[in-house]
Amino acid sequence: MQTFTYYPGCTLRTKAKDLDAYARSSAEALGIQLVEPDNWQCCGGAYTTATNEVATKLSAVRTLMAAKDSEGLVTVCSACHNVIKQTNYDISRNEDMADKVKQYLGLEEAYTGETNVYHYLELLRDVVGFDNLKSKIVNPFKGKKIAAYYGCLLLRPSKALAMDDPENPTIMEDFIKAIGGTPVIYAQRNECCGGYITMEDKTQAEKRSSAVMDSAQSMGADMIITACPLCLYNLKKNSGSDMPVYYFTELLAEALGLKEDINE
Amino acid sequence: MNKNQKDWIDITSGVNVRKCMRCGKCSATCPSYDEMEYHPHQFVYMVEKGNIESLLNSKSLYKCLTCFACVERCPRGVEPAKVVEAVRLTAVRKQGNNHLIPDQIPEMLDEELPQQAIVTAFRKYTK
């Protein structure tokens, strides 16, 4: 069994407990042990690109450092993934940033991006392998047309996230195929759902999330999947559409035959 | 034109605004285009010209969703979202100029709103 450090983040502890539970049980069934570091802190939700912001990047660095000696750091939430990967990318290329972080945290040695960071989907693709995953499926989503929603945070900026082609990604579609479903390609799959704007401008969030849902539905999707709690919220709450929205880990657990165990 | 302010924004963004060739692709791809008074390509142009005061006072600063579409798609690697971020920080770092205060939060909440939204909004709207 391979062991990885696992960072759930704030929302997987509260409003997105199922995203977390399905991720953990599926990993275990696939022979991956996820170990949560002690006393982790919230990632901040958004990466600050400003060159003279240091304090806002420290919690992500602490998380990265906690995983330094493990196989890698795994995240599920798209926002955590984005913040942690961008932090890791920038600190590995920017000596000044690494030095400032060292001073702030009182480190003996600077952290310069040594940790390997995986999104859970990358773990499935690069460590488990989609072919291997396919062989373990007991409840395939046969005949189901599933739309993958990447949103903005999983893929961009591609220089730092390096997960997939930012305009024509395949990782979620390959995941859908592995669990026996039929992926639906649609125009809005990597455009923003509105994100946090829902707090102060509902109309804008409604516009964005309905554009995503309408686009997926117009291509014949039965359901849509996401890795992000805020995307799930916007697509469910602000889109006006009744097409079902699921976390990809829920479909994974169901396909692996684990869903009833979790709900018991 | 306030030269110090322009220099400070250039340092904060890390962007060379002079690389922009005004093709408008950033604004074309921006999901907040309709909501903005000044669009991403205008941010880049106005910072280049030192016309920063009108940007600092514009609501457009809080319409950027940080989706990085413009950063990814700019053919010149200008990275407009970083310019918007630098101007926004220049605005909210001023004393008493936070765009969101904790007292406003309770009325924005509903049962399902993820914590992630609150944390991100604070990070984007306050110093």
Side-chain angles (χ1 to χ4, degrees):
Chain A
M1 195 175 252
Q2 274 180 286
T3 305
F4 287 81
T5 307
Y6 175 64
Y7 177 80
C10 66
T11 308
L12 276 76
R13 270 282 179 272
T14 47
K15 302 287 178 189
K17 281 184 180 153
D18 42 350
L19 175 60
D20 178 56
Y22 294 129
R24 286 176 195 262
S25 62
S26 302
E28 205 186 314
L30 293 167
I32 306 273
Q33 193 183 11
L34 299 176
V35 180
E36 197 176 322
D38 293 332
N39 300 319
W40 54 262
Q41 304 166 346
C42 171
C43 73
Y47 184 70
T48 313
T49 54
T51 57
N52 46 20
E53 277 279 323
V54 179
T56 46
K57 294 163 183 167
L58 296 178
S59 70
V61 177
R62 283 201 180 100
T63 303
L64 285 158
M65 282 173 33
K68 209 171 147 183
D69 298 322
S70 70
E71 289 270 343
L73 176 66
V74 177
T75 56
V76 186
C77 166
S78 304
C80 301
H81 162 75
N82 191 284
V83 171
I84 288 172
K85 260 199 184 166
Q86 288 211 66
T87 305
N88 210 34
Y89 180 84
D90 282 352
I91 206 165
S92 72
R93 280 158 184 79
N94 184 337
E95 261 179 56
D96 180 53
M97 176 182 169
D99 188 52
K100 281 190 181 129
V101 167
K102 182 185 160 203
Q103 315 260 0
Y104 260 94
L105 295 179
L107 308 174
E108 279 178 22
E109 227 179 284
Y111 173 78
T112 52
E114 294 86 350
T115 301
N116 294 318
V117 185
Y118 295 86
H119 186 266
Y120 196 94
L121 284 162
E122 291 175 297
L123 189 76
L124 293 178
R125 180 189 63 190
D126 304 335
V127 178
V128 175
F130 284 138
D131 286 340
N132 180 25
L133 171 63
K134 199 174 175 181
S135 71
K136 299 204 160 118
I137 298 303
V138 293
N139 299 321
F141 281 83
K142 234 175 156 183
K144 286 281 178 217
K145 291 185 175 170
I146 306 171
Y149 181 53
Y150 290 88
C152 52
L153 295 168
L154 271 183
L155 302 168
R156 294 191 292 260
S158 62
K159 255 195 321 198
L161 298 196
M163 177 170 179
D164 207 338
D165 182 318
E167 303 298 351
N168 294 298
T170 56
I171 189 166
M172 282 177 99
E173 284 75 14
D174 291 341
F175 164 74
I176 292 166
K177 285 182 204 160
I179 59 165
T182 307
V184 175
I185 308 288
Y186 61 104
Q188 292 277 331
R189 66 190 171 131
N190 59 344
E191 302 299 337
C192 183
C193 68
Y196 55 90
I197 205 87
T198 182
M199 295 198 43
E200 68 161 20
D201 187 352
K202 276 269 175 241
T203 319
Q204 192 182 350
E206 284 164 9
K207 234 162 97 175
R208 282 310 315 144
S209 44
S210 58
V212 172
M213 292 295 260
D214 293 350
S215 169
Q217 248 167 335
S218 74
M219 296 308 284
D222 301 320
M223 61 176 87
I224 189 163
I225 56 168
T226 175
C228 178
L230 188 47
C231 294
L232 182 104
Y233 173 87
N234 275 325
L235 297 182
K236 271 191 164 174
K237 196 104 180 167
N238 289 327
S239 71
S241 163
D242 52 10
M243 181 166 66
V245 188
Y246 298 108
Y247 288 127
F248 78 99
T249 55
E250 179 168 356
L251 266 55
L252 173 63
E254 195 171 335
L256 289 169
L258 305 167
K259 207 171 156 187
E260 279 160 42
D261 301 349
I262 294 163
N263 291 334
E264 267 166 19
Chain B
M1 160 173 163
N2 183 337
K3 181 138 190 335
N4 281 344
Q5 202 165 49
K6 180 193 164 6
D7 288 349
W8 186 242
I9 286 171
D10 287 344
I11 289 167
T12 305
S13 71
V15 165
N16 177 4
V17 285
R18 293 179 63 209
K19 286 200 299 188
C20 172
M21 60 183 184
R22 322 259 187 263
C23 73
K25 196 176 178 188
C26 51
S27 294
T29 200
C30 178
S32 294
Y33 182 89
D34 291 340
E35 272 69 37
M36 286 176 154
E37 168 191 11
Y38 299 113
H39 304 107
H41 74 285
Q42 289 169 295
F43 266 87
V44 175
Y45 178 73
M46 287 164 78
V47 168
E48 185 187 331
K49 296 296 167 200
N51 184 7
I52 289 158
E53 221 40 54
S54 13
L55 291 177
L56 284 174
N57 296 317
S58 171
K59 288 205 164 57
S60 305
L61 285 181
Y62 309 103
K63 295 295 179 185
C64 168
L65 302 164
T66 326
C67 76
F68 296 106
C70 58
V71 169
E72 193 68 50
R73 293 166 185 160
C74 172
R76 295 278 293 147
V78 174
E79 307 185 314
K82 294 186 177 179
V83 179
V84 179
E85 175 93 341
V87 181
R88 191 183 50 70
L89 277 170
T90 307
V92 299
R93 277 171 178 169
K94 276 187 204 155
Q95 188 74 32
N97 216 21
N98 281 338
H99 181 67
L100 181 68
I101 53 166
D103 289 350
Q104 293 172 293
I105 299 285
E107 66 187 55
M108 295 173 170
L109 297 180
D110 63 56
E111 205 36 53
E112 290 126 275
L113 187 79
Q115 279 67 19
Q116 177 195 353
I118 307 163
V119 172
T120 311
F122 264 113
R123 176 110 337 147
K124 300 301 292 184
Y125 295 154
T126 65
K127 70 164 180 272

